Amino acid sequence: MQPYINTPRRFRTSSLILAVCLCSLFVSSASLLLAQTQSPDRYQETGEGLTVFGEVYRHISSAYMDQVDSKELLNVAIDAMTEYLDPYSVYYPAEDRDDLSVIYDGSYTGLGMNAVKFNGAYTVLNVYPGFAAEKANLIVGDRITHVNTTALSDTTISLRKLLDGVQGDTLQLTVIRALTDTLQLQAELGRVQTKAVPFFCVVEGDVGYIQLARFTRQSQREFRQALHQLYRQTDLQGLIIDIRDNRGGLLQAAVGIAELFLPAGSVIVSTKGRLNNNNAEYKSRLAPMYPELPLTVLINEQSASASEILAAALQDHGRATLLGKQSFGKGLVQNVLTVPYGGQLKLTTARYFTPSGRLLQKIDYKAQREGTTSNDVASAPDGWRAGVFPDIETVGNSDFEVTDKLHQYGLVELFVGTKRGVRSDSMVQEYIEFVIANDFAREGSALEQSYRIRDQLTVETQKQLEPVIHSLQEELRNELLQHQTVISETLNVGFAMYNNPFDAAMRIRVTEDSTVATAKNHLLSSTTAAED
């Protein structure tokens, strides 16, 4: 089974037959422990644990004062086991195997959109062309408040789970558009195929740009096709590989892209686990297709796992300049193990190391469980810190916490939706006032907490709180006014996504991106220096 190293996801079990699955897992673990340690005491300890578990389950089921949902008991037991280990070890029952196909192939059954939850509803951030969301006439900035009869403000179930179903299922969506119009839209679930490379283009100076959004089985093929198309357009002077916000995927996909640029035999990554079959060294197998093409790789705080493998391999071999922010710091490998009745267990089986021997894992989960560490940073050889560190650290949007948070909550898209895509010369000032007037403050901030308190008070008591709220609003207003340039750039991208087809909007987004501009200038200056 091909290893992969994606970010954490949690799903609940949903069948009583998982009692059998649970016991099978325990028994398999006991056998494995015996085979590896040759310790009868350890095997006996595991057997006793199974007996105790069965007895506790029986007593609760038969004697607890209220009727207990047996399925929920088993859900809690399995979730507790995996959660005890780390956030990345997850059990997938048969009905949730589709969630694994998102990682492997980038495909799933759904609507084909991205949305973020804030203030009890989901704001649509973008809509993929050609899929169900577009056919249902969802647009950027729409607020989804209900799926069928389920109010999203009253449930902790994610939108992804509420949209679960099979192709052809019809869902009724309640949508608020521009914060004024309530619409009832019907959407038919379909198969969505996301792209590993959603966008590529040539920027000024004959520099190529490729956005690599995820690492799936299709990643290397899509990446090579994109690079081939760029070479058909121009004689490339350099290439920008954008893996910002790429949370990972298949390890082998990262290896496949790295070997396009590294000499044959170059070590790309190694994995070390408890079992011998989890110890491996991945090397470039063929001569590189692009051995001389200058590279700059963009990373940020959300570049994780497979992204870090690619970035670190190119950095360690001196093949690319990394530009951006320190990466996430996930150096753990998961393998998928078969479980009875169609289920699968994604289990952390190894740590990965870069070609220079760096362990990039940030959190030491074993130390956390044992209470033997006072911080979250795992030890690493030669004093390396967790994550991949850029060669050039940028000053960009991520430095501005306020604008980051507002964008994260979908406020840019919501504002653009309220304007119905029509810009104005005063859009920055209007946006700032929109943020404050609609009570969309940063979650957890003093202002946001004040709003919550105010809503629970009587009218008279609210008046006493108004001076405090006014002062906090003024503080937020002044903070935002300090970053008008960044807000203007972000709004330009938001309006572009609302008003243009996806490729045209992405081209505007890349053009407006100051980090891309920095990368381009670095590549061109490096090329000029090399020629001199």
Side-chain angles (χ1 to χ4, degrees):
M1 181 64 68
Q2 187 173 190
Y4 63 97
I5 41 180
N6 66 305
T7 49
R9 306 174 72 170
R10 283 274 165 228
F11 298 98
R12 303 289 293 184
T13 57
S14 61
S15 173
L16 260 176
I17 57 175
L18 287 176
V20 181
C21 297
L22 183 61
C23 291
S24 298
L25 282 169
F26 272 128
V27 172
S28 298
S29 299
S31 301
L32 181 59
L33 283 169
L34 181 60
Q36 292 297 313
T37 66
Q38 297 297 317
S39 170
D41 290 341
R42 191 70 178 272
Y43 184 73
Q44 180 179 350
E45 186 180 288
T46 304
E48 290 173 355
L50 279 170
T51 302
V52 171
F53 172 82
E55 281 298 294
V56 170
Y57 175 80
R58 184 178 66 82
H59 285 311
I60 293 174
S61 298
S62 62
Y64 187 67
M65 64 178 180
D66 297 319
Q67 184 71 34
V68 178
D69 188 331
S70 298
K71 179 180 68 175
E72 278 302 304
L73 284 179
L74 297 171
N75 287 344
V76 171
I78 292 180
D79 281 352
M81 280 194 297
T82 55
E83 288 172 5
Y84 174 76
L85 301 173
D86 58 63
Y88 309 103
S89 296
V90 180
Y91 171 71
Y92 295 83
E95 60 269 24
D96 284 334
R97 290 184 64 171
D98 194 44
D99 296 302
L100 281 174
S101 69
V102 177
I103 302 166
Y104 279 128
D105 303 314
S107 63
Y108 63 94
T109 298
L111 298 183
M113 67 175 185
N114 286 331
V116 61
K117 189 173 186 179
F118 187 62
N119 278 9
Y122 279 84
T123 302
V124 177
L125 303 181
N126 57 57
V127 176
Y128 300 142
F131 295 111
E134 183 183 62
K135 295 174 183 176
N137 294 319
L138 279 165
I139 61 174
V140 171
D142 280 350
R143 295 271 285 170
I144 303 174
T145 62
H146 293 72
V147 176
N148 294 328
T149 59
T150 301
L152 300 183
S153 59
D154 298 334
T155 182
T156 57
I157 303 173
S158 69
L159 183 62
R160 173 78 181 90
K161 298 304 292 182
L162 288 171
L163 297 179
D164 268 356
V166 298
Q167 280 184 264
D169 284 355
T170 300
L171 302 176
Q172 187 77 21
L173 304 178
T174 303
V175 172
I176 298 178
R177 181 164 295 170
L179 290 183
T180 56
D181 305 337
T182 300
L183 308 175
Q184 297 296 328
L185 303 179
Q186 281 195 338
E188 184 177 295
L189 292 178
R191 199 65 185 167
V192 178
Q193 180 64 59
T194 60
K195 292 183 178 180
V197 177
F199 181 74
F200 60 91
C201 69
V202 175
V203 297
E204 184 184 3
D206 292 330
V207 172
Y209 168 90
I210 296 178
Q211 181 189 35
L212 182 57
R214 55 188 57 85
F215 291 88
T216 67
R217 287 172 175 152
Q218 287 75 41
S219 294
Q220 186 184 30
R221 175 178 56 79
E222 290 186 28
F223 190 93
R224 289 176 61 176
Q225 288 175 347
L227 196 46
H228 178 68
Q229 289 295 322
L230 292 175
Y231 267 112
R232 290 183 63 181
Q233 294 178 38
T234 187
D235 182 19
L236 287 184
Q237 300 302 301
L239 177 67
I240 300 168
I241 304 173
D242 190 348
I243 52 175
R244 291 174 297 177
D245 300 317
N246 183 330
R247 303 300 296 271
L250 297 177
L251 180 151
Q252 192 61 54
V255 171
I257 293 173
E259 65 183 358
L260 295 175
F261 306 103
L262 296 176
S266 300
V267 174
I268 296 172
V269 64
S270 60
T271 62
K272 298 178 183 179
R274 180 167 154 233
L275 304 180
N276 289 334
N277 61 0
N278 291 319
N279 298 332
E281 189 174 62
Y282 295 83
K283 296 182 178 181
S284 183
R285 297 160 296 180
L286 304 170
M289 297 183 65
Y290 308 97
E292 304 297 333
L293 180 64
L295 303 175
T296 295
V297 179
L298 307 186
I299 61 172
N300 66 5
E301 301 91 335
Q302 299 304 315
S303 301
S305 58
S307 291
E308 293 172 297
I309 286 177
L310 175 61
L314 295 176
Q315 183 183 53
D316 281 1
H317 288 289
R319 188 61 187 83
T321 299
L322 305 192
L323 189 149
K325 296 293 182 181
Q326 176 188 354
S327 66
F328 185 83
K330 179 179 181 291
L332 304 178
V333 181
Q334 285 74 47
N335 271 295
V336 176
L337 308 175
T338 300
V339 174
Y341 305 105
Q344 292 184 316
L345 175 66
K346 178 164 67 72
L347 184 67
T348 301
T349 55
R351 296 176 176 86
Y352 73 76
F353 295 82
T354 72
S356 63
R358 285 182 286 172
L359 169 63
L360 303 179
Q361 176 61 24
K362 177 180 180 182
I363 300 177
D364 187 338
Y365 294 106
K366 182 175 184 291
Q368 275 194 350
R369 292 195 303 270
E370 297 174 350
T372 58
T373 181
S374 59
N375 58 62
D376 288 341
V377 180
S379 60
D382 303 323
W384 285 103
R385 296 169 288 174
V388 180
F389 280 72
D391 301 297
I392 302 173
E393 189 167 10
T394 58
V395 177
N397 292 12
S398 60
D399 287 326
F400 306 130
E401 180 185 351
V402 175
T403 51
D404 260 3
K405 290 294 184 184
L406 297 175
H407 191 66
Q408 174 186 335
Y409 296 141
L411 297 180
V412 171
E413 290 78 9
L414 189 58
F415 173 75
V416 169
T418 64
K419 306 300 290 184
R420 301 184 189 272
V422 179
R423 306 175 192 232
S424 69
D425 293 337
S426 58
M427 66 178 182
V428 173
Q429 287 72 27
E430 290 178 31
Y431 173 70
I432 292 174
E433 295 308 314
F434 167 83
V435 168
I436 296 171
N438 287 281
D439 294 2
F440 292 119
R442 291 168 292 166
E443 191 169 6
S445 70
L447 180 56
E448 189 262 350
Q449 293 176 34
S450 298
Y451 288 148
R452 291 184 182 277
I453 294 171
R454 181 189 63 185
D455 293 342
Q456 299 173 19
L457 301 176
T458 63
V459 175
E460 284 301 316
T461 313
Q462 284 180 4
K463 292 180 181 179
Q464 299 176 27
L465 190 61
E466 283 305 316
V468 175
I469 291 178
H470 179 75
S471 175
L472 292 171
Q473 288 175 335
E474 205 49 40
E475 181 181 332
L476 177 59
R477 180 180 289 109
N478 291 334
E479 193 171 5
L480 290 171
L481 286 171
Q482 293 177 33
H483 308 303
Q484 292 185 69
T485 301
V486 175
I487 292 174
S488 177
E489 292 175 357
T490 306
L491 288 174
N492 284 337
V493 172
F495 279 103
M497 297 299 289
Y498 185 97
N499 289 313
N500 295 279
F502 179 79
D503 280 359
M506 284 299 299
R507 186 174 294 276
I508 295 171
R509 185 173 188 171
V510 170
T511 303
E512 295 279 351
D513 192 325
S514 58
T515 303
V516 172
T518 302
K520 177 201 69 177
N521 293 334
H522 170 75
L523 282 169
L524 293 176
S525 63
S526 299
T527 302
T528 301
E531 290 174 352
D532 294 342

